[in-house]
Amino acid sequence: MAWSTVLLILFSLSCQIQTERPGPDSYTGEYAAHVRLDSTTLLATELISGLEAPRDITLGPDGWLWVNEIRGSLYRVNPENGEIRKLLEVPDVFFERARGLLSTALHPQFEEYPYVYLNYTHAGHELGSRLTRYTFTGDTLTDPKIILDNLPGGYGHSGSKMMTGPDNKLWLAAGDANRGDLAQDTGSYHGKVLRMNFDGSVPDDNPIPGSRIWTSGHRNIQGITHGNGQIYISEHGPANDDEVNLLQKGGNYGWPDVHGFCDSEAERVYCNDAQIVEPLTAFTPVIATAGIAWYGHDAIPEWKNSLLLASLRIQTLRVLHLDEGDGQVDDIQIFFQQHFGRIRDVVADTRGRIFLLTSNTDWYRESRPEIHDPSLVENGDRIIMLQQADDALLARFENIEYKTVLAEDRIPRYLGDSEIADDLGAGEQLFQSQCASCHRPDGTGMEGLAPDLTTSDWISGNRNDLIGMLVNGIPPEAQSEGYEWDMPAYGNLSNDELVAVLNYIKSTFSSETDTFSPDDIREFRLAR
């Protein structure tokens, strides 16, 4: 036999060995935990690890998962065997902290139109966000084409989650890019949900003729999903009122004038005049809402007809149960609290399995090290697979020496913050719930992001300036110290609440003994 023939046979066998993988009934991944529900046991396994600051996970039409890292890497992962293939390093991505490759969407008719849509920040004439379409050919991405350029994408609040909708359209949820003043401007894409055709053109049935805008008045959208013919989003509040919203065509969701529900006197007037759409639910203290997925499968009956909501700051998966009649949230359950660390995104596949994407290696661990478990960073970020554990699956793990059995967490725990308890004074409660996520519970701030209140000239400066800072906020470009994060406006708080938090800040972070009164706030508001 000729050596060339032998080599050909060996090469053929090698290729067969490399491509031969265990089937779906034999692969489970590395054990992570058992999860006990009312009548169902879930098995949590680690599908893959070693990711660096992943941002988005998307289900492909063939069942593979598409995962990106914020630095610009894009991968495909086979959930049946844990195989991972790197497809692309985005050449023109601008990466820094929360800026970079943000989200991915796939054309719904992928076999006929193998298009992959990427949204990422880039450094052009002005730092912004770009939507580019690639063509998927033989496990490579080629032929990049810019669909939309100069989208919002500044030093924060880039949002930028995408999906293919049930209407065969491309949806892109854009943050306000620290320009809350533009969230109500329908001439700008800041703080908007966009709906477009797959070539970027405007659908004829959009609410504003000639505009891609579907809804307005958003701050920093972190997740978008659809189910039961509805579109849902999750978004970050400033330091209060993270929101989950049900989108209505042409709806205005109130930012920056409304935080969460229309529950203050000023908000109620504005909401009535502007016909603001209130959220399905809101979270204060904030939990850093992240990715969201609708779950409608029978595989986990306890979670059917619910929204699965990932959380970064509180490190949970929340299950928002929807009423079958009016579609409102009638119960919220908490799972995996501080077990897998920060959960960035969540997606469910056609078999009813759920995939969680962690985010423990991102920049936030350096800014808030006190809320991070170093052991969660050692092997990089992970994809955790949840599936119903039948008898055969449970039998494979019956000999595990140390089983981790998890259940619903009844009480949320706020990492790194003082306990928000009834015996705290009103000012401290407000500071811990509204301010501590940026300025830290001890007021020392985050370098380059939020100022140290213990040394800030604002605290001991002009009284009206301090009131104005709290009532009106400060955009990043107006901060003389050059901090990247904005100081959100808290004009939605009552005069008594503003007085309480101002006096707490004064007494805690300065040596001055003067205090504020409700009359001070009232006079400031009247003079505006």
Side-chain angles (χ1 to χ4, degrees):
M1 183 181 295
W3 275 109
S4 59
T5 304
V6 173
L7 290 172
L8 182 61
I9 293 172
L10 290 174
F11 178 76
S12 177
L13 289 171
S14 172
C15 289
Q16 291 174 23
I17 292 170
Q18 290 173 8
T19 57
E20 194 172 296
R21 302 287 179 177
D25 294 331
S26 60
Y27 182 79
T28 52
E30 183 177 339
Y31 175 80
H34 285 74
V35 186
R36 296 278 168 79
L37 305 181
D38 291 340
S39 59
T40 306
T41 297
L42 303 182
L43 186 69
T45 54
E46 178 185 290
L47 181 63
I48 64 167
S49 62
L51 295 170
E52 183 179 1
R55 184 79 181 195
D56 178 88
I57 185 169
T58 301
L59 180 67
D62 58 357
W64 284 57
L65 301 170
W66 294 65
V67 183
N68 67 46
E69 294 173 330
I70 197 166
R71 290 180 179 272
S73 302
L74 181 65
Y75 304 88
R76 288 208 314 147
V77 178
N78 188 343
E80 311 306 343
N81 54 31
E83 179 183 359
I84 182 169
R85 298 178 183 177
K86 186 172 184 178
L87 304 178
L88 180 70
E89 285 281 348
V90 180
D92 53 341
V93 69
F94 178 86
F95 163 71
E96 186 179 35
R97 287 180 172 162
R99 289 162 280 178
L101 178 55
L102 301 175
S103 60
T104 306
L106 308 175
H107 197 287
Q109 289 86 47
F110 200 67
E111 287 190 6
E112 185 177 359
Y113 304 101
Y115 297 147
V116 179
Y117 296 84
L118 303 179
N119 185 239
Y120 52 92
T121 51
H122 71 100
H125 176 67
E126 181 178 349
L127 185 62
S129 174
R130 171 173 288 172
L131 174 59
T132 299
R133 188 191 77 189
Y134 282 82
T135 300
F136 180 67
T137 307
D139 260 357
T140 60
L141 293 178
T142 61
D143 192 26
K145 179 181 179 181
I146 297 173
I147 301 297
L148 286 178
D149 215 350
N150 294 321
L151 291 162
Y155 292 99
H157 304 188
S158 293
S160 298
K161 289 292 287 186
M162 291 193 297
M163 74 167 187
T164 298
D167 52 357
N168 203 37
K169 303 297 180 187
L170 181 63
W171 294 70
L172 189 152
D176 71 3
N178 280 321
R179 290 294 308 273
D181 57 310
L182 295 178
Q184 294 292 324
D185 182 356
T186 55
S188 164
Y189 286 156
H190 290 72
K192 309 297 191 303
V193 174
L194 309 182
R195 176 179 180 263
M196 68 193 84
N197 298 316
F198 286 99
D199 61 0
S201 61
V202 179
D204 294 336
D205 57 345
N206 270 13
I208 303 174
S211 174
R212 299 177 182 86
I213 294 174
W214 187 258
T215 59
S216 61
H218 303 288
R219 183 176 182 269
N220 189 14
I221 301 171
Q222 295 291 301
I224 185 168
T225 189
H226 66 85
N228 276 342
Q230 306 285 359
I231 308 292
Y232 304 91
I233 62 168
S234 60
E235 58 182 297
H236 285 175
N240 58 286
D241 290 304
D242 282 350
E243 297 180 5
V244 173
N245 284 297
L246 169 63
L247 295 191
Q248 298 180 13
K249 182 177 181 178
N252 183 348
Y253 290 77
W255 177 257
D257 300 285
V258 180
H259 300 187
F261 294 98
C262 302
D263 50 10
S264 74
E265 183 178 350
E267 286 177 332
R268 282 191 288 270
V269 172
Y270 181 85
C271 287
N272 184 64
D273 292 343
Q275 298 183 324
I276 298 301
V277 182
E278 292 187 283
L280 287 176
T281 190
F283 300 93
T284 299
V286 293
I287 63 173
T289 51
I292 189 170
W294 185 78
Y295 192 81
H297 206 282
D298 291 325
I300 308 176
E302 292 91 337
W303 292 359
K304 189 174 181 179
N305 192 39
S306 68
L307 294 171
L308 307 178
L309 178 65
S311 161
L312 293 164
R313 181 176 175 231
I314 310 302
Q315 304 180 2
T316 63
L317 177 73
R318 276 170 161 77
V319 180
L320 282 58
H321 298 273
L322 302 177
D323 186 274
E324 292 187 2
D326 59 12
Q328 298 299 302
V329 175
D330 61 10
D331 186 34
I332 300 177
Q333 293 182 292
I334 300 173
F335 293 90
F336 308 117
Q337 186 162 223
Q338 297 156 31
H339 187 77
F340 296 128
R342 288 157 63 82
I343 302 179
R344 166 65 68 181
D345 207 358
V346 54
V347 68
D349 72 1
T350 56
R351 290 171 52 184
R353 297 176 299 183
I354 296 167
F355 301 89
L356 308 178
L357 183 67
T358 70
S359 185
N360 296 308
T361 58
D362 64 16
W363 64 274
Y364 201 66
R365 75 183 189 277
E366 299 172 358
S367 298
R368 294 292 301 272
E370 73 276 10
I371 68 172
H372 281 82
D373 180 352
S375 67
L376 295 174
V377 180
E378 291 175 0
N379 297 316
D381 276 307
R382 304 184 284 173
I383 296 177
I384 302 295
M385 179 169 62
L386 304 178
Q387 58 186 315
Q388 186 188 71
D390 57 20
D391 291 341
L393 192 56
L394 286 173
R396 296 179 198 168
F397 293 92
E398 64 181 358
N399 295 323
I400 291 179
E401 185 175 0
Y402 300 105
K403 291 186 175 69
T404 301
V405 181
L406 305 175
E408 176 187 358
D409 293 293
R410 299 288 182 177
I411 301 173
R413 298 190 296 273
Y414 295 89
L415 287 168
D417 294 350
S418 300
E419 180 114 5
I420 308 212
D422 293 338
D423 58 352
L424 293 182
E428 186 174 359
Q429 287 190 50
L430 284 164
F431 181 83
Q432 296 298 338
S433 66
Q434 308 279 351
C435 314
S437 61
C438 294
H439 293 290
R440 295 182 185 267
D442 61 1
T444 54
M446 287 190 256
E447 185 177 357
L449 301 176
D452 182 346
L453 299 182
T454 65
T455 60
S456 174
D457 293 338
W458 284 93
I459 306 302
S460 56
N462 183 280
R463 289 167 58 86
N464 266 354
D465 288 345
L466 187 56
I467 295 172
M469 176 187 68
L470 205 61
V471 172
N472 300 325
I474 310 174
E477 63 271 14
Q479 297 195 49
S480 58
E481 297 91 344
Y483 292 101
E484 287 191 14
W485 284 358
D486 65 323
M487 166 66 192
Y490 289 102
N492 62 310
L493 297 180
S494 70
N495 291 350
D496 289 339
E497 288 173 321
L498 289 168
V499 165
V501 72
L502 280 166
N503 286 336
Y504 174 78
I505 290 170
K506 270 277 190 181
S507 63
T508 306
F509 304 122
S510 80
S511 59
E512 297 185 0
T513 58
D514 62 323
T515 59
F516 293 87
S517 72
D519 286 339
D520 295 326
I521 312 298
R522 193 174 298 110
E523 290 174 8
F524 178 86
R525 290 192 197 267
L526 289 173
R528 290 173 66 184

